[in-house]
Every structure is written in structure tokens, then in C-alpha cells.
Amino acid sequence: MPRYALIAEPDRHRAAALLALAQQEGLEGTIARDGAEAQELVRQRGAPTLLVTDLALPRVDGFALLAWLRGRPDASGTAVMVVTAFDELRVRAWQLKDALGIHALLSRRAGPEAMRDGVRRALAGQLAGSMLMESNGDEEKRRLARIDELELVDAGPPDTELQELVSEVAQAFGVPVALLTLVLGERQWFKAHVGLPAALAKERGTPRDWAFCHHVVQGREAMVVPDATRHPVFRDNPLVRDGIVGSYAGAPLVTSTGEVLGSLCVIDTRPLMLGTEDLAALRELANRVAESLERTTAHGRLRPVAPHPQGAPKPVLGEAAALALVREAVSALDVPVLVVAPGRKPFAANAALAELLGLPEDRLSGMTFDSLCQHVANLTADPGGTLRQLDLAAEGSRGLHLTLSLERPRPRVVRWVARPFLVPGGVAQLLSLMDLGIGSDLMGTRERLLRQDALTGLDTRRVGEERLAKEIGRCRREGLPVSLVLVDLVELGTLNRTRGFDAGDGVLRELARRAEALCPPPGFAVRWTGDTFLLALPGADAVVAEALRQQLHDGPGPLGCVSVAVTVQGEEDPHGTLARARAALARVKPDRTPGPSHD
């Protein structure tokens, strides 16, 4: 087993500190910022000597990561240390410590010495940690007093501006439900909400025991639950059983004096594939909302602010002047920048962006956001694939980062970074494109390898799982079918052995070309494993999927592949559909002697 430590932790600074502790024990280390990335690293490198993980990981939560790891035959000797801010998740992990093979279980508030001791005890196979809840009655009293002081709970209808805000947040993150909640004594109260069932909207709240936001308040950190229906803490929650909450992500509303009022959260009925950058964007929005709540009374009036220093000039800036100032500030920057107003409307751009994109500045200022994305995609070697990436970024979150390889007006690698911020009327975004220099960004190279298959140019399994979950959720909401075609190159091993890997590479690229041609957007093709491809067909029923599957085999030249088509059934989750497809594929695959393959 390779002697290395894997740190699964979304926060960069905490991950670096935990990695340093593992390195002090003589282990090489690597960091994964979410559960799916951790799984991919284990697939590539084998099970680690030590896994240090949070339980509230994006994309694949810590419980699911541990269960998956313990199912691997090479992971029996892996030591596991869990560090989390959430009391009830820690208690449940303590109860499951034997099944999940947990050796150390610590609160996020534990000091450096306790963390170091936890690493050492885990490596020695000794149990360390506690299941005790960390309650602070004085802190809770101060928190509730602050809610009263700010007059945040009122009997009238939800504030119109806050309602518009949560609607923008739901749209930005591609989910049906967004909430601005306050956690009171025995109840969570919805200060603003969008997408709730009528009964909950009328009640404007739930018991605190049902509230996911209660955990965010207790832990004082953002929390994500990618799939609540499978989660050992949340699967029996009444909101989950009733199909209202299938997944959750929330960030705390922290005041300037440190109290946590509640949370800003997004909810879907399907698995939620938000990444670490999405959570960072949600935290940023929650911080801005908390500032706004502190400034405004329950009656919509601005709260008094500290007196201006005597003798100092009092700045007065109207809305028009403020907008003009934003445009001037953007124009003055030498970094390519675009400000996008609510509703995806470009507001201000600069000459640096025009130069990077090879556009006259006056033309850039008149473009729609969609035409800008199309122009950027046309500058790459794969316009269709790049546009799908940009569309996915727009659907998933306005906080997503992408690395793009431009070929025109000259070759360069750029980083597409979008950050959301609140403005009157909704959520805007600041978009910047940074020239990284070809070959200079190792992290960017690593991310591309994880997200795009180098041989075929198709999405990797990691990206495919994200997109598949989103498309199934979207089609269910719109009443559309979803079908999959799974293809296996059964003769690839023999081809590699008899004619060499170059011949095998050619067949893989040809199959990728055919698969992509059969999957017009929103469909997509994925290199699922070394010799297996997945075709996702949103909107296609079983008849259409079978016809497309047959077209794959009717193309010129023998590919030596077998395939099956399946359609998502009812409320079946993506994992269940894929399991049926794999089982069906196994039944039609001929017996053959294994040969060298492509991984």
C-alpha cells in the first residue's frame, strides 16, 4: 500500500494544517477538497495509509466516502481520523465508528495538540475522541437576544427585496428552493423563501429538530448534504421522508459581533453536486445578507450608524454616480474583468478583456452574456465542449472556476473566475479571465486531467456524474424521460496485445467521436472507465435510446463493442440506473481473455 496521507477537507488553510501534521509523521500527503475528488485520488493511487476527513464534504459526503473506502479490498489497513464542526454528525459517526473504521474523532474546535495526538493515535490504531455534544448556553442566549434586538421576526408577509434575493439565489445555483432562515428557540423561521410547498410556505417554518439550518448555526460553518436520502443523520428527517429535501447546502448568517442568526440555504429534491467554489460563493452571499439584516430594521428603515467624525466631509453618492464609479473602476483595471448584472446582463467591461478576447471594446460592451460565452467557446479547439462547460457553470453556480485553453487570437491558458455579490435587485457577478501562461499552472493542469479525458477529449467520469445528476433532476422537474447508453469496447485488450496501443488509441478516439455525434446538447458522452463509454440522453425515451444505440454500431468500420440502453425508472437515483446498466452490459458481454487495456 502506498504510504501517503489523504486530507479530504474543503477549507484550504485547514487542509494545509492537517497535511503538515501527517507529514510530521513521515507520510507524503495530498489534499482533496471534496468527497468525489478524494475517491478519484484513491482510484488513481490506491487506499491511503491515513485518511483525515470532514463529514460535510461537497459532492460525496464523509459518511459515504468512508463506506466506499471500507468496501475496497486494499483499504483494510487505512487509519481514519474524522474532524467536523457539527455535533450531531460527530455523534452519529461515533455510533458507526466500528463499521466505518474510524480511529480518531475530533471537534473542529480541538486545539493543535489534540489534532496531533489524534493523527498519532489513528496511525497507531488507538481510539481517540469523544461523542459529547458541545453546548454553550450563554452563546445561545446572546444569539437569540441579537435576533430580538434586530427585530428580525415580524408578523407580516416576507420582505419583497428579500424574496427577490432568494429567487436570484435559487436561479444562480440551479435549484428549486432557496431559504433565508432564522433559528429561534424551538423553531426555524423562514424570513424569506422561494419554491416551498404551500403548507410550509404558509407556516413559514418548521420545528427546530427538523431544521438542517440548526446544524449550520450550531457548527458556525457552511454545511452541504449532497444526498440526504442516503445520509445516516438526515435520511429519517420528516422533510426528507416527505420528498421536500433531497439535498441541502447552507451558510451561516454571522453578525459583526459574532452571533449566528440563521442561514442562507439552497435545497433540491435530487442529489446536489455543488463543489467547494459553490460553497464559497454561498458563504460570501450569506455574509452580505447578514450585513444587510444588521443595517435594516424589520420595518425596512436603515438603522442609525455611528456619527461621522466631527469636521470630516460627509460623502454623498447617488445611485447613478455609484454605477458610473463602478464602470470607471472596471475600466481602470489592467486585469480582464466583466461585471454581469442580475438576469445575466453585462454591465461593465474593460479594454483588457477586449484585448484578451480579440474584440473591439465597443463591440464587447454591446454583447449579451450568452453571445460572450459563445465567442469565448469559438476561441478554443472544441467550441461545443467549451460551451457546455460554460453552460454547466451558469446552471450550477455563479461561483464556479474553469480553466480554458484558448487558441485565438493567440494560444494561452486562462482561468475563468465568477464571484457573486449582492446589488439592489438581486445577485450580480464579477467575472475575471486571468492569463495563466501555457504550461505554468500545475493545479490547472491537474484539474483538467480530472475533468477531461486527455485521449478522447470527452468528460471524465467525475464530470459525468455531476452532469448526470443535474440532468436527471431537471428532467424530472420538467416531466421528461432520461435514458443512458453504456458501451464497452470488448476487443480493446486483444487489439492492444496484437496491434499495439496506438491502434487501441485510434479505436477509443473513433468511438468517442461517434458517441459525441449521437449526443447533441443537452446530451453528452463520457469516458466512464478505460474501455467503457456512457452516453447520457436527457429527453430521450427507451425507443429513441435504442435507435441511437443501434446507430452507434451502424457506423463505418468494426469497433468490436457491445452496448445496452436503459431508461431512468420513476424516482430511481442515478446510482440505481447505472447499476442496472452495468448489470445489463455484463450479461451481453462475451467471455474473453483479459488483455492490456487503457486506464
Side-chain angles (χ1 to χ4, degrees), residues 165-167 169-170 175-180 192-196 264-267:
L165 166 69
V166 293
S167 295
V169 170
V175 297
V177 178
L179 306 173
L180 179 59
H193 56 84
V194 63
L196 284 176
L264 176 67
C265 66
V266 293
I267 294 170

Side-chain angles (χ1 to χ4, degrees), residues 123-183:
L123 289 171
Q126 300 171 357
L127 186 62
S130 171
M131 61 176 281
L132 296 177
M133 306 278 278
E134 297 178 342
S135 59
N136 188 326
D138 291 338
E139 182 178 296
E140 178 70 1
K141 289 177 182 177
R142 288 194 299 271
R143 192 184 69 78
L144 295 175
R146 187 64 168 150
I147 292 175
D148 288 340
E149 177 189 347
L150 295 174
E151 302 175 289
L152 296 177
V153 180
D154 59 84
D159 178 84
T160 302
E161 289 188 5
L162 291 179
Q163 285 292 100
E164 292 174 353
L165 166 69
V166 293
S167 295
E168 281 279 340
V169 170
Q171 180 184 4
F173 286 87
V175 297
V177 178
L179 306 173
L180 179 59
T181 75
L182 304 178
V183 177

Side-chain angles (χ1 to χ4, degrees), residues 456-476:
T456 64
L458 297 181
D459 288 341
T460 62
R461 179 171 179 164
R462 169 182 173 177
V463 178
E465 288 176 341
E466 294 177 13
R467 297 182 67 182
L468 182 60
K470 287 184 178 181
E471 285 299 327
I472 289 177
R474 179 184 65 82
C475 288
R476 280 210 174 106

Side-chain angles (χ1 to χ4, degrees), residues 218-305:
Q218 174 272 316
R220 302 178 60 84
E221 289 192 4
M223 183 181 76
V224 59
V225 183
D227 188 348
T229 63
R230 297 172 178 268
H231 198 284
V233 174
F234 299 109
R235 62 192 174 203
D236 293 326
N237 184 294
L239 299 175
V240 177
R241 289 202 309 266
D242 291 345
I244 298 169
V245 178
S247 51
Y248 169 94
L253 304 170
V254 185
T255 69
S256 58
T257 49
E259 298 88 7
V260 181
L261 307 174
S263 78
L264 176 67
C265 66
V266 293
I267 294 170
D268 203 342
T269 55
R270 299 291 110 201
L272 194 61
M273 299 304 290
L274 300 185
T276 53
E277 298 299 342
D278 302 294
L279 284 185
L282 190 62
R283 281 195 299 269
E284 189 173 329
L285 287 171
N287 290 337
R288 296 295 302 275
V289 170
E291 291 174 8
S292 177
L293 292 177
E294 283 192 286
R295 288 198 308 267
T296 310
T297 68
H299 306 291
R301 298 188 299 270
L302 289 177
R303 298 182 186 279
V305 296

Side-chain angles (χ1 to χ4, degrees), residues 25-75:
E25 302 304 314
L27 296 176
E28 172 198 352
T30 188
I31 293 171
R33 298 190 66 198
D34 62 53
E37 185 176 351
Q39 289 179 327
E40 187 67 26
L41 287 168
V42 173
R43 290 188 187 103
Q44 294 174 5
R45 301 189 57 175
T49 304
L50 171 68
L51 170 65
V52 182
T53 183
D54 196 348
L55 294 173
L57 295 174
R59 302 207 301 153
V60 174
D61 68 75
F63 289 101
L65 173 63
L66 290 175
W68 173 84
L69 181 71
R70 290 311 181 196
R72 289 179 59 94
D74 61 346

Side-chain angles (χ1 to χ4, degrees), residues 488-559:
D488 189 282
L489 278 166
V490 293
E491 300 300 329
L492 184 61
T494 301
L495 186 64
N496 289 333
R497 190 171 59 252
T498 58
R499 295 179 53 193
F501 280 92
D502 287 344
D505 287 349
V507 172
L508 284 165
R509 282 192 288 264
E510 173 61 20
L511 179 56
R513 186 192 65 76
R514 292 190 192 179
E516 199 164 27
L518 292 173
C519 297
F524 56 93
V526 179
R527 188 176 181 189
W528 201 250
T529 63
D531 53 5
T532 305
F533 290 73
L534 174 78
L535 284 66
L537 305 168
D541 60 18
V543 174
V544 173
E546 179 58 30
L548 290 175
R549 186 193 70 82
Q550 190 58 50
Q551 288 181 41
L552 189 71
H553 295 269
D554 292 341
L559 286 177

